[in-house]
Amino acid sequence: MTVRDAIRASAIKSMNEASVMLAEKIAGDEWKFARMMNKKAKILKMKNSNFRNATGLHEAGQYSTAYDLARLLIAIRKDFPEQCEVFGESKLVCNDKTYFNHNIF
């Protein structure tokens, strides 16, 4: 799986395996990646967020708010505008299998 497809899989279909794979590639392990996320959250002034994993799945001590996540999305849109299109894609085709976005826009 390419990095681009892993990002798309995470965004389009919430494929947690792809999110963990990306975290491990970037930081070596998921916990180190979560610490990187927390450092970035402080820079973005996300005051009511604490990350424990790369997937967003429930874990003790992990929390966020809609306001903080909006701050994150604004930063993504500003810093990576070319990547924002992936959030609006309706499907992902990978290895001849089609995965549909479960978010209805």
Side-chain angles (χ1 to χ4, degrees):
M1 178 177 273
T2 66
V3 170
R4 174 90 173 137
D5 281 345
I7 291 168
R8 292 177 69 232
S10 294
I12 296 168
K13 194 58 180 167
S14 299
M15 287 186 183
N16 297 321
E17 301 89 341
S19 299
V20 172
M21 180 183 72
L22 289 166
E24 290 175 346
K25 181 66 176 170
I26 291 167
D29 66 50
E30 191 175 8
W31 175 237
K32 287 179 186 173
F33 184 77
R35 289 194 311 239
M36 291 171 67
M37 290 171 60
N38 287 320
K39 286 179 185 176
K40 187 64 173 184
K42 284 184 182 181
I43 292 167
L44 296 175
K45 297 182 176 144
M46 296 170 64
K47 297 178 182 179
N48 295 299
S49 294
N50 187 58
F51 301 104
R52 298 283 188 200
N53 61 52
T55 63
L57 291 174
H58 178 73
E59 189 167 325
Q62 178 158 282
Y63 55 88
S64 191
T65 63
Y67 182 82
D68 278 2
L69 294 177
R71 292 187 72 85
L72 175 61
L73 289 174
I74 290 166
I76 290 170
R77 202 156 122 201
K78 178 183 170 223
D79 296 339
F80 306 99
E82 69 283 355
Q83 299 297 328
C84 288
E85 67 189 38
V86 74
F87 294 105
E89 292 183 36
S90 61
K91 66 182 177 180
L92 163 70
V93 179
C94 187
N95 296 328
D96 296 325
K97 185 163 181 173
T98 302
Y99 302 92
F100 291 95
N101 191 333
H102 59 268
N103 297 316
I104 306 300
F105 298 102

